[in-house]
C-alpha cells in the first residue's frame, strides 16, 4: 500500500466557486423581565453572492430560543429554527435542471443538572460541575432529492467551570 501525505492536500477546486460576499440583515429580540426564564427570537434575511450561481442564494432564518432556570441549579435550553434558502442557479452536476429550494427545521433540547444536586457530598472540586444531556433533530426538505435528509443527534457531557 502506498503512503498518503495528508499534509500535501491540494485546495478543493469547488472552494473558488463558493467564495463571494454574504450580507445578513436581521432583527433580534429578547424577553428579560423574568429571572428564571428568557425567550429570544431572531429574524434574518441573507443574500449570498458566490462565484457560481448554484452556490448563491437568498435566505430567511427564523430562530426562537428559550432558557429556563429550574430549582436546585438545573436548567433547560430549547431551540427551534427554520431556514429557507432559494438558490439562484441550477447545479450542473445534479441533473435536475432546477435551482435548489431548501426548507430546514432544527429543534434542540438541552437539560443540565449540577453534579452536587445528583450526588450530594462530592469533594469541593466538583462544585460548579454539571452533567448535561442533549437531543437535536434537523429535517431538511428540498426540491432536489439528494439534499433531503433527517438527522438526529444525542449527547451527554460533563462540564466544570473554572474562574481565574
Amino acid at each position: 500500500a502506498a503512503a498518503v501525505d495528508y499534509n500535501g492536500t491540494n485546495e478543493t477546486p469547488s472552494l473558488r466557486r463558493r467564495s463571494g460576499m454574504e450580507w445578513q440583515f436581521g432583527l433580534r429580540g429578547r424577553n428579560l423581565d423574568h429571572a428564571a426564564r428568557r425567550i429570544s427570537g431572531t429574524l434574518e434575511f441573507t443574500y449570498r453572492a458566490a462565484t457560481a450561481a448554484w452556490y448563491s442564494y437568498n435566505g430567511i432564518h427564523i430562530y426562537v430560543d428559550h432558557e429556563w432556570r429550574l430549582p436546585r441549579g438545573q436548567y433547560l435550553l430549547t431551540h427551534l429554527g427554520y431556514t429557507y434558502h432559494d438558490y439562484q442557479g441550477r447545479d450542473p452536476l445534479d441533473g435536475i435542471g432546477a435551482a435548489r429550494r431548501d426548507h430546514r427545521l432544527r429543534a434542540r433540547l438541552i437539560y443540565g443538572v449540577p453534579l452536587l444536586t445528583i450526588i450530594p457530598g462530592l469533594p469541593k472540586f466538583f462544585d460548579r460541575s454539571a452533567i448535561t444531556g442533549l437531543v437535536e433533530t434537523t429535517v431538511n426538505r428540498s426540491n432536489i432529492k439528494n439534499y433531503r435528509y433527517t438527522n438526529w443527534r444525542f449527547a451527554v457531557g460533563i462540564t466544570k467551570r473554572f474562574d481565574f
Side-chain angles (χ1 to χ4, degrees):
V4 178
D5 179 14
Y6 292 102
N7 293 324
T9 304
N10 293 331
E11 180 182 306
T12 305
S14 68
L15 290 178
R16 288 186 293 279
R17 295 184 198 126
R18 292 175 185 262
S19 65
M21 297 298 294
E22 181 174 292
W23 293 272
Q24 290 183 336
F25 306 95
L27 300 169
R28 290 190 174 109
R30 185 181 302 175
N31 169 4
L32 297 174
D33 67 346
H34 196 284
R37 287 189 304 262
R38 180 168 50 189
I39 297 172
S40 59
T42 303
L43 172 64
E44 288 181 348
F45 300 95
T46 303
Y47 174 67
R48 172 89 168 123
T51 304
W54 60 89
Y55 289 127
S56 298
Y57 61 83
N58 294 311
I60 298 172
H61 310 269
I62 302 168
Y63 307 113
V64 177
D65 294 289
H66 182 248
E67 300 174 21
W68 193 2
R69 293 191 180 121
L70 302 169
R72 299 179 55 198
Q74 301 171 87
Y75 58 90
L76 185 66
L77 308 174
T78 56
H79 168 84
L80 186 62
Y82 170 76
T83 302
Y84 172 71
H85 285 169
D86 179 13
Y87 288 84
Q88 303 301 304
R90 168 185 97 67
D91 187 338
L93 300 178
D94 66 24
I96 302 298
R100 190 169 131 201
R101 310 282 182 271
D102 288 352
H103 298 266
R104 180 178 304 138
L105 183 65
R106 174 171 288 150
R108 178 183 315 126
L109 176 73
I110 300 173
Y111 171 74
V113 60
L115 283 176
L116 292 173
T117 299
I118 299 171
I119 309 169
L122 284 174
K124 181 93 172 134
F125 175 80
F126 293 100
D127 188 28
R128 302 181 119 187
S129 296
I131 186 164
T132 58
L134 171 142
V135 61
E136 177 181 277
T137 186
T138 303
V139 178
N140 198 72
R141 295 297 172 248
S142 179
N143 63 325
I144 298 175
K145 190 175 184 177
N146 288 355
Y147 294 100
R148 295 179 198 157
Y149 61 87
T150 300
N151 284 339
W152 284 91
R153 183 169 68 137
F154 303 93
V156 175
I158 297 177
T159 60
K160 167 69 177 152
R161 180 175 171 174
F162 296 94
D163 289 330
F164 299 98

